[in-house]
Amino acid sequence: MRIALIATCLGDALFPDVAKATTQLLERLGHEVVFPAEQVCCGQMHVNTGYLKEAVPVVEHHVEVFERARFDVAVAPSGSCVGSVRHQQAMVARRAGRTDLAERATALAGRTYELSELLVDVLGVTDVGAFYPHRVTYHPTCHSLRMLRVGDKPLQLLRAVEGIDLVELPGADQCCGFGGTFSIKNAATSSAMLADKVDNICSTGADRCTAGDASCLMNINGGLTRGEKGVQTVHLAQILNSTRERVAA
Amino acid sequence: MTSGTFLGIPRRHRHEESPLRGETSFPKAAKTALANDQLRRNLKHATGTIRAKRALVVNEMPDWEQLRDAGAAVKTDVMARMPELLEQFEAKVIERGGVVHWAADAAEANAIVTELVRAQGVSEVIKVKSMATQEIGLNEYLEEQGIAAVETDLAELIVQLGHDKPSHILVPAIHRNRTEVRDIFLSEMTGVVEGLTDEPKQLAMAARSYLRAKFLSAKVAISGTNFGIAETGTVGVVESEGNGRMCVTLPETLITVMGIEKLLPRFEDLEVFLQLLPRSSTGERMNPYTSLWTGVTPGDGPQNFHIVLLDNGRTNALADQVGRAALHCIRCSACLNVCPVYERTGGHAYGSVYPGPIGAVLTPQLTGITGHDDPSASLPYASSLCGACYDVCPVKIPIPDLLVELRARAVDADRSRTIPGGWDAAMRAAAWVMSDAKRFAAVEKTLAVGRLVAGPDKLISTLPPPGSAWTRTRDMPAPPKQTFRQWWKESHPEGSIARSADPADTEQKDGHR
Ligand code: SF4
C-alpha cells in the first residue's frame, strides 16, 4: 500500500525518531511510505485552546497538502492528532462557515488512521516481527482510548513482540495530565495528575513506558526524569520497529 | 450555530454573591485545594471506590448504550417542547390539589418559599438535599429571615454542621473522612453521646437520633426533585437513606423547588431514568428509596403541596446550543467521579454549587460571563479534555465538545481587546507558522537554541514563562540535532513526495499479508 505519513508538528521538531520508526516499520512490512513535505500541523493545539478561527488556515493547509499527495491511506503515530483530523477539522471548518472545507476534511479523515489502527484494521497484522527485550508497561492515551476507540489494538501488537515482558499499568485509563495547553494553564492540577501517573508506572517495575502519542510521552518522561525514576519512555512505533538485527547492531 | 449573543446573556441572574459564581479563578482555587493532602487522599479514595462500583453495575447491562440513547432522546424532546410541557405539568399539579409558583430567579424563589413557610407560622423547617435550593442560596436566605433549615440528608447535614460548602453534587461531604465527621458531630450536634467513635454505624446512629426528633416535630419540609412528569404532575426524589421519604411524607406542608429542566414528558419515561440514574450516580442497581408524589391525598402525607418552578438562567441557557445540551444533565455526578481534575481539586475549586465537568459547562451558562477575569470564564479550561466524562454520562452530554466551544467563545469575545493577551499573540503567531511548511522549518531551526540550555542529559529543566509552569515539576526534552523532515530528505533522496504510481502498483506492494 502507499501510505502517507503525518509526522505531526511535534514529532517533526522534537521526536523525529518516532516518525522515523513509523517510516521504517511500514517499509519493512513492504509498503511504500510517502511524506508530503509541505505538511505542518493538524490544528489540534489551536482547537483545544479555543482558537478555532486561527485553526482554520492550519486545517486548510493540512487538507490541501494531503489532497495533493497521492496515497491510499494516511497514518500518524499519534492518537490525538488523528483524533483531531477525524473529530475536529470538519467542525473547525463548519464553524467558520466553510462547508466545502468541512466536506474535504471529512473525506480525508476517512482515509486517516492511527498507527495501531492501520496495522491491525487496515493491514491486518498484529505480529510485525519485532524484538524488544524489556519490561514494558503501556499507557493508553486519552484520545486513542476515547476519541478513536483503538481498544486493545496496541496491546495486541505489543503482545506479539518477541522478548517483551508486558506488565499492566494500574489506573491505565487515567489521563497523564498533559492536555496540551492545559499543562500550562492549570499547571498545578496537571502536575498532580502526572505525579500519580508516574507513581503507577513505577509500581509496575517496568523499565520502559510506552504509548501511542509522543506528546503524552513527553509529559510522562518529563515527570520520570525529574523524579529520577530510571524508567524510560518509548513510543509504540519504536518498539514495533525494533528487531533482533537492530538490537544486535 | 454560534450565537454571537453569548455576552448578551442578561445579567439580571447575576448577583455578586451567587452560589453559582466563584470568587477566584479555577487555577488559583485549585492550587489551594491541591496543597491539602488530606483532601486529596479523601477524594482519591471516594472517587476510586465509586468509579469501580459504577463500572461493575454498568458493565452488567447489555442494553446500556441503548438506554443512554433513550435518555438523551427524551431530554432532547423536553428541551424542544419546554413551554408546552411546563403548562401541561402545571395543569396536572393543580388538578391534583397542588399549588404552582413560578420563579424567574433566585430572589423570587427565595421570597416565595419564605412566605410559604411564614404562612405556617414556624421558624424551623426540614429539608431533603436539593441542588436547586443550593443554587439559590435558600438556606442562607431563610436564616437571614429567622428561619432555620435543617438538612436531613446525612452528607448534607455533615456539610451544614461543619459550616462548610458541599464539594460534590451527590456526596456533598466527599472531601471529609469519618474522623473529621465524628469531630463535627461532637462539636456541633446536640445530644451526642460523649464516647462517639468514628465507626460508620455509630455515626449513622448519632445522626439518626438527631434527625428523628426533627422529623417528628417539623410542620414544613422543603425538597428538591429528580423529575417532574408533565403527563401526571408527579414529582419524585430518589435517595439512599430514607430521610428524604420522611421529609416528603411526615410534615403537613411540602414545598418542592424544581429547576424547569427536570421535566419528563411521560410517566413511562421513568423506566429509562430510574435505570440510568442509580447506576450512574451511586453504582447501585436500584436506589433504596424512590418517593413519588402527585398533588395531595386527603388523610395521607402532606396536606399542602407547593411547587416552585425555577428558571434562574435556564431559559437563557435553553436558547443556546451549549446551554441546551448542558440542561440535559440529570445530576447523577458520574462525570465528577471519573474526572481526573475533580479528583485532585475537589468541588470547592470550581467555586459553584455545580462543580466538576458538568459544572464547568453549566456554571458559565447560568451565570453568563462578564469578561476574561470572571471566575466563570476560567471553568471551561479546567479540563484536560480526556473525555472520561462523556463516556460515563447517562444522557450522553458531549462535555469535551461543549468545553471546546465555550473556550472558543471566550477567545472570540476577547477579540475586540485593543491589546491582545499573551495567548492571543502566541496563538496567532503559531497559526501563521503552522499553515506554511517553510515558516515552520525556519522556526524549527531556532529551536536548536534549546540544545544550548539543555544539560548533558539533553533535558531542559528551566524555561522562561509561560513554559516555567511546565518545568516547575517536569523536564522538557532538548530539540534533536535533526528534524524528521531533514532526515527524510537524506534517507529518501528520490523526493519528498514519491513518484506517482497507479493503483495496480499499490496492490502489488500490499503483498506482505
Ligand atoms: S453531565 Fe451527565 S454524567 Fe455529569 S452529572 Fe450530568 S448527567 Fe451525570
Side-chain angles (χ1 to χ4, degrees):
Chain A
M1 253 195 211
R2 177 190 284 244
I3 302 167
L5 177 70
I6 303 174
T8 78
C9 56
L10 194 77
D12 180 38
L14 284 183
F15 303 101
D17 289 349
V18 174
K20 265 189 241 176
T22 308
T23 307
Q24 288 166 346
L25 168 68
L26 294 172
E27 287 177 346
R28 176 158 64 73
L29 293 175
H31 299 281
E32 182 184 7
V33 177
V34 296
F35 177 66
E38 293 293 309
Q39 65 176 279
V40 184
C41 172
C42 61
Q44 182 185 189
M45 178 183 74
H46 285 98
V47 174
N48 288 356
T49 314
Y51 289 79
L52 266 62
K53 283 205 179 115
E54 282 76 3
V56 177
V58 181
V59 167
E60 184 159 30
H61 181 73
H62 175 93
V63 171
E64 270 170 17
V65 166
F66 281 85
E67 272 177 348
R68 271 204 302 274
R70 294 197 50 188
F71 60 88
D72 301 307
V73 291
V75 68
S78 161
S80 62
C81 299
V82 175
S84 144
V85 168
R86 228 179 259 172
H87 298 290
Q88 297 185 330
Q89 288 194 339
M91 178 272 287
V92 165
R94 263 198 308 275
R95 198 178 183 276
R98 299 282 310 275
T99 340
D100 56 317
L101 183 60
E103 275 166 27
R104 288 159 62 200
T106 306
L108 206 57
R111 290 200 287 157
T112 305
Y113 297 88
E114 179 270 345
L115 181 60
S116 73
E117 290 177 335
L118 176 77
L119 291 167
V120 177
D121 291 347
V122 183
L123 305 179
V125 270
T126 46
D127 186 347
V128 297
F131 174 72
Y132 196 73
H134 289 283
R135 192 177 172 103
V136 177
T137 195
Y138 167 72
H139 166 63
T141 61
C142 301
H143 290 177
S144 299
L145 198 67
R146 304 195 185 91
M147 261 182 149
L148 302 181
R149 313 262 170 214
V150 301
D152 72 341
K153 282 163 212 162
L155 286 169
Q156 289 179 36
L157 291 158
L158 285 169
R159 276 188 215 114
V161 171
E162 205 190 327
I164 201 168
D165 176 11
L166 198 59
V167 286
E168 199 180 317
L169 177 64
D173 60 357
Q174 284 240 2
C175 178
C176 72
F178 178 55
T181 47
F182 170 78
S183 61
I184 292 175
K185 286 189 180 251
N186 280 285
T189 309
S190 165
S191 296
M193 289 157 71
L194 175 61
D196 288 345
K197 183 59 70 182
V198 164
D199 284 349
N200 282 329
I201 291 168
C202 293
S203 78
T204 64
D207 62 321
R208 297 286 189 280
C209 172
T210 193
D213 223 307
S215 54
C216 308
L217 285 175
M218 172 175 80
N219 184 48
I220 292 172
N221 193 56
L224 285 166
T225 57
R226 178 62 60 90
E228 297 182 9
K229 301 290 188 186
V231 186
Q232 289 177 28
T233 53
V234 53
H235 193 282
L236 178 69
Q238 291 169 289
I239 294 185
L240 299 180
N241 186 42
S242 172
T243 58
R244 245 176 219 289
E245 296 72 47
R246 281 179 172 276
V247 172
Chain B
M1 161 194 90
T2 5
S3 83
T5 57
F6 181 57
L7 278 184
I9 283 181
R11 298 230 190 121
R12 76 183 169 128
H13 300 294
R14 176 178 184 184
H15 29 122
E16 296 306 325
E17 307 248 310
S18 166
L20 281 171
R21 189 187 298 274
E23 278 156 27
T24 38
S25 73
F26 181 85
K28 224 169 138 198
K31 234 183 194 163
T32 316
L34 285 160
N36 184 341
D37 289 339
Q38 183 64 55
L39 173 78
R40 272 175 73 184
R41 273 196 300 274
N42 296 350
L43 284 167
K44 188 175 180 163
H45 176 75
T47 55
T49 310
I50 198 161
R51 268 208 297 272
K53 268 179 83 184
R54 179 207 160 270
L56 197 80
V57 299
V58 161
N59 289 338
E60 67 189 19
M61 298 284 281
D63 59 346
W64 186 252
E65 289 309 314
Q66 285 99 301
L67 275 170
R68 286 177 84 204
D69 287 334
V74 170
K75 279 299 182 183
T76 305
D77 178 41
V78 168
M79 300 308 147
R81 294 197 291 136
M82 183 73 85
E84 169 197 337
L85 291 173
L86 277 172
E87 281 180 14
Q88 189 186 2
F89 179 74
E90 178 186 36
K92 287 290 161 186
V93 171
I94 295 170
E95 196 181 301
R96 293 295 302 265
V99 184
V100 180
H101 310 261
W102 298 81
D105 56 19
E108 276 187 33
N110 286 333
I112 293 167
V113 174
T114 308
E115 210 167 294
L116 290 171
V117 174
R118 283 224 181 98
Q120 299 301 315
V122 296
S123 58
E124 184 172 285
V125 297
I126 53 172
K127 277 189 69 206
V128 51
K129 187 167 96 76
S130 148
M131 294 302 302
T133 62
Q134 276 174 30
E135 179 187 317
I136 58 175
L138 179 65
N139 288 10
E140 295 73 16
Y141 184 83
L142 287 175
E143 202 182 313
E144 282 166 26
Q145 308 299 312
I147 299 165
V150 181
E151 292 291 347
T152 63
D153 172 88
L154 183 52
E156 196 71 29
L157 179 66
I158 293 165
V159 169
Q160 190 178 43
L161 291 175
H163 310 287
D164 196 1
K165 282 182 177 170
S167 173
H168 189 276
I169 298 180
L170 208 85
V171 198
I174 195 169
H175 57 303
R176 299 287 201 178
N177 63 28
R178 43 191 228 223
T179 316
E180 292 172 291
V181 172
R182 186 207 45 196
D183 296 345
I184 292 171
F185 279 12
L186 277 176
S187 69
E188 303 288 333
M189 219 179 233
T190 42
V192 178
V193 288
E194 255 174 44
L196 184 71
T197 72
D198 63 3
E199 275 299 305
K201 195 170 171 197
Q202 279 213 23
L203 296 174
M205 292 309 287
R208 189 187 166 126
S209 59
Y210 174 81
L211 287 174
R212 182 122 314 179
K214 304 283 181 194
F215 286 135
L216 293 174
S217 60
K219 276 181 75 186
V220 178
I222 298 171
S223 89
T225 178
N226 288 99
F227 313 106
I229 297 156
E231 182 184 52
T232 57
T234 305
V235 288
V237 164
V238 169
E239 38 124 18
S240 302
E241 293 166 1
N243 291 339
R245 172 160 297 179
M246 303 263 223
C247 275
V248 303
T249 49
L250 291 176
E252 266 170 40
T253 299
L254 174 59
I255 305 163
T256 298
V257 182
M258 172 177 139
I260 53 174
E261 84 285 10
K262 295 272 166 182
L263 282 174
L264 295 180
R266 298 161 310 171
F267 197 83
E268 68 182 64
D269 295 324
L270 281 176
E271 185 238 331
V272 172
F273 288 91
L274 289 179
Q275 292 188 75
L276 287 174
L277 182 58
R279 284 178 202 259
S280 301
S281 56
T282 47
E284 290 166 307
R285 295 185 178 88
M286 182 84 209
N287 50 282
Y289 296 89
T290 301
S291 306
L292 299 171
W293 64 98
T294 314
V296 292
T297 309
D300 183 17
Q303 295 302 296
N304 314 304
F305 170 58
H306 295 267
I307 185 148
V308 181
L309 293 171
L310 178 69
D311 183 340
N312 205 32
R314 284 166 175 77
T315 43
N316 289 323
L318 191 65
D320 172 271
Q321 195 205 11
V322 172
R324 178 174 284 223
L327 288 180
H328 288 201
C329 175
I330 59 170
R331 314 276 189 266
C332 73
S333 73
C335 58
L336 278 67
N337 298 329
V338 295
C339 177
V341 173
Y342 177 87
E343 181 184 330
R344 272 50 179 213
T345 63
H348 295 167
Y350 296 79
S352 166
V353 298
Y354 299 116
I358 187 61
V361 176
L362 194 59
T363 300
Q365 286 296 307
L366 292 178
T367 61
I369 292 181
T370 53
H372 58 273
D373 55 350
D374 180 348
S376 291
S378 68
L379 292 176
Y381 291 92
S383 164
S384 66
L385 302 180
C386 80
C389 47
Y390 170 69
D391 275 13
V392 296
C393 178
V395 287
K396 284 191 148 175
I397 300 174
I399 299 174
D401 295 348
L402 301 183
L403 291 171
V404 166
E405 174 59 26
L406 288 178
R407 291 177 188 189
R409 291 179 189 184
V411 168
D412 288 346
D414 273 354
R415 281 180 199 281
S416 53
R417 268 193 285 174
T418 32
I419 307 161
W423 283 100
D424 299 342
M427 288 290 158
R428 268 171 222 161
W432 186 73
V433 167
M434 286 174 165
S435 49
D436 184 292
K438 282 196 201 77
R439 292 178 207 147
F440 186 66
V443 170
E444 281 183 323
K445 282 213 182 85
T446 68
L447 275 180
V449 180
R451 283 210 304 282
L452 299 176
V453 299
D457 49 4
K458 300 207 180 71
L459 293 170
I460 302 171
S461 46
T462 16
L463 281 172
S468 53
W470 170 283
T471 49
R472 201 163 294 133
T473 56
R474 66 209 124 177
D475 301 320
M476 213 33 214
K481 283 214 178 76
Q482 197 184 37
T483 64
F484 174 75
R485 77 187 64 222
Q486 288 165 343
W487 173 83
W488 178 273
K489 255 191 201 148
E490 280 177 31
S491 62
H492 295 72
E494 74 276 18
S496 299
I497 299 176
R499 345 157 275 288
S500 58
D502 55 49
D505 180 27
T506 311
E507 259 154 50
Q508 271 170 15
K509 294 219 165 187
D510 189 21
H512 76 278
R513 295 188 200 190

